[in-house]
Each structure stands twice: as structure tokens, then as C-alpha cells.
């Protein structure tokens, strides 16, 4: 099976712009979670989608949003980008959610200038 | 507040030695404890995971030890190899939730 894929892999944006990142989960997986990884804050949970519904949400401002499509692919959007949003954004998929293992993609490296 | 505390921050081990990384958690509702391995430029890869109904789980050279009363768990890498050089993260989550709380990571260097 192909692993989790994320596009684009690298992105450079200017402060104030918005950005959309995409994630395709492992075939058959219905849960997609998003994480932000920075040197200062480490790995932090953003939100989880299951069957097109947001099921869990981390402690991030409303500028961070996401959605999931009927084929389980997910997108996350960050509006009004700030310098502090520069990070590696990771997507993880899980078969059904709950107690199942999460498998991460390679991430999208976002740089905000 | 850091829900999962991890130590040490960095670790240097000789080839063939044992690498030990420790984690502690506060929330007694956590009942799933995975370890992830991350190489530079890659996403974290699931290494091994444990649930609180067992005190130890072994997969190849990797062993998790779990102490429920102390709210601690650790990763042991036996016969450490240079290819094991990576950053290791412990994590924890609750039943029915896919939001993992991660430790701060341990950078392991195995010297030949």
C-alpha cells in the first residue's frame, strides 16, 4: 500500500497570505489528523477528521482550519499567515480512529517570510 | 503544560550498546503509548506501542517498559546500531481520541 502523501512538500509564503495543504491518507484509512512541528513547541495536534467531520481539535487559533472529503483526502488551511506559522505540517492517517495507530506522511515545510 | 515529559534531550551510545529513553505522563486517562522514530526530512514513523494492560512489549531490538503506578514508560534499544541514529518521540493518547500528545524528543547518536 502506498503511504500517506502530502502536497506540496515545500512552500514559501508571505505574512498575511493564506495557504492550503493537502493530504491523501493510506487507502482504506478514514481518519486524518494534522500536527504542527516546530523546534520550539515540538509536535502539536491541530485537528482530526473522520468521515468528513471534525472530531477533535487542538489549541490553535481559528486561522487554522481543515476539511475532509468523501474519499478521505484532507486539506488544511491557514489564513492571515504569521511568521510563527513557519513549521513542518504533518498529516497522519488511521484506519478508523480511536485506538488505532497513526501513520505519518513526510510533511509540508511551510516558510513564512 | 507539557502532558508528556521526555528525557534525555540527547543521547550518545556506542555501537552494540543499549539506548534508554524515558517518558512520564500526568493524565491517568491516557491508555495508548506509542514511540515514533524520525529521521531528518522525514515524518515520524511508528516504531512500537503499548497499552496499560501489559508491563512490557518487545519487537525485535526495541522494547517498551511500562509502569502504570509511576506513570512512566521507556524505550530500550538493544544492540544499538549507527542506523538507529534519529530523533525518538514518545506520545500518549486517550481511548476514542486520535490526538497524540508528544514528548519533546530525544536525539540519539550511535557511534561506530
Amino acid at each position: 500500500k502506498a503511504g500517506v502523501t502530502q502536497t506540496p512538500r515545500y512552500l514559501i509564503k508571505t505574512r498575511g497570505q493564506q495557504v492550503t495543504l493537502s493530504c491523501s491518507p493510506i487507502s482504506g484509512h478514514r481518519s486524518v489528523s494534522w500536527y504542527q512541528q516546530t523546534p520550539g513547541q515540538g509536535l502539536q495536534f491541530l485537528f482530526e477528521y473522520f468521515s468528513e467531520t471534525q472530531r477533535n481539535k487542538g489549541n490553535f487559533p481559528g486561522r487554522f482550519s481543515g476539511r475532509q472529503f468523501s474519499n478521505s483526502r484532507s486539506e488544511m488551511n491557514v489564513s492571515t499567515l504569521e511568521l510563527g506559522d513557519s513549521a513542518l505540517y504533518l498529516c497522519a492517517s488511521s484506519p478508523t480512529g480511536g485506538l488505532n495507530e497513526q501513520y505519518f506522511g513526510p510533511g509540508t515545510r511551510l516558510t513564512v517570510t | 503544560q507539557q502532558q508528556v515529559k521526555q528525557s534525555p534531550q540527547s543521547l550518545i551510545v556506542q555501537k552494540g550498546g543499549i539506548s534508554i529513553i524515558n517518558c512520564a505522563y500526568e493524565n491517568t486517562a491516557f491508555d495508548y503509548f506509542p514511540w515514533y522514530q524520525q529521521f531528518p526530512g522525514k515524518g515520524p514513523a511508528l516504531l512500537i506501542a503499548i497499552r496499560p494492560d501489559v508491563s512490557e512489549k518487545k519487537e525485535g531490538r526495541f522494547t517498551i517498559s511500562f509502569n502504570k503506578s509511576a506513570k512512566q514508560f521507556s524505550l530500550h534499544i538493544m544492540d544499538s546500531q549507527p542506523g538507529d541514529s534519529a530523533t525518538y518521540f514518545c506520545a500518549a493518547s486517550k481511548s476514542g481520541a486520535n490526538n497524540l500528545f508528544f514528548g519533546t524528543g530525544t536525539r540519539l547518536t550511535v557511534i561506530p
Side-chain angles (χ1 to χ4, degrees):
Chain A
K1 273 187 182 178
V4 177
T5 58
Q6 293 187 244
T7 57
R9 291 293 311 279
Y10 303 92
L11 207 48
I12 300 175
K13 288 287 188 179
T14 303
R15 196 169 38 178
Q17 289 185 315
Q18 75 164 18
V19 68
T20 299
L21 312 181
S22 181
C23 171
S24 292
I26 293 170
S27 178
H29 285 195
R30 294 168 59 194
S31 168
V32 173
S33 299
W34 289 89
Y35 293 82
Q36 181 195 64
Q37 185 174 26
T38 60
Q41 299 299 317
L43 279 150
Q44 293 186 289
F45 172 77
L46 280 155
F47 31 65
E48 181 209 3
Y49 285 86
F50 178 73
S51 292
E52 302 179 62
T53 302
Q54 187 181 86
R55 188 158 64 172
N56 286 298
K57 190 177 188 306
N59 190 26
F60 278 81
R63 300 185 297 106
F64 292 82
S65 63
R67 59 178 176 167
Q68 186 180 34
F69 302 95
S70 58
N71 61 358
S72 294
R73 190 177 71 85
S74 177
E75 289 181 346
M76 70 162 279
N77 183 276
V78 187
S79 62
T80 319
L81 284 166
E82 300 177 359
L83 296 178
D85 297 333
S86 294
L88 181 67
Y89 289 89
L90 293 157
C91 165
S93 79
S94 182
T96 60
L99 292 179
N100 291 295
E101 298 90 349
Q102 291 186 54
Y103 299 93
F104 283 83
T108 293
R109 173 72 63 184
L110 172 65
T111 302
V112 182
T113 62
Chain B
Q1 182 186 357
Q2 191 73 29
Q3 299 239 16
V4 179
K5 294 182 180 177
Q6 183 172 347
S7 64
Q9 191 173 355
S10 63
L11 183 61
I12 300 175
V13 172
Q14 292 270 2
K15 178 183 174 182
I18 302 173
S19 304
I20 302 174
I21 304 170
N22 301 299
C23 284
Y25 63 97
E26 289 297 324
N27 192 335
T28 54
F30 287 154
D31 60 1
Y32 174 65
F33 304 90
W35 285 88
Y36 283 85
Q37 177 190 58
Q38 187 175 28
F39 292 103
K42 305 285 188 183
L46 179 63
L47 207 54
I48 186 172
I50 197 168
R51 302 192 194 280
D53 52 341
V54 296
S55 60
E56 186 174 283
K57 183 175 181 180
K58 183 177 180 179
E59 288 185 3
R61 296 185 294 111
F62 301 91
T63 300
I64 298 180
S65 296
F66 184 81
N67 185 329
K68 189 174 181 178
S69 60
K71 292 186 289 184
Q72 295 175 347
F73 58 110
S74 60
L75 176 70
H76 295 231
I77 305 174
M78 312 300 287
D79 187 26
S80 298
Q81 300 296 312
D84 296 330
S85 297
T87 300
Y88 292 81
F89 293 93
C90 62
S93 67
K94 293 185 272 191
S95 292
N98 253 352
N99 51 319
L100 289 167
F101 293 91
F102 281 88
T104 49
T106 296
R107 179 173 289 186
L108 171 66
T109 303
V110 181
I111 52 179

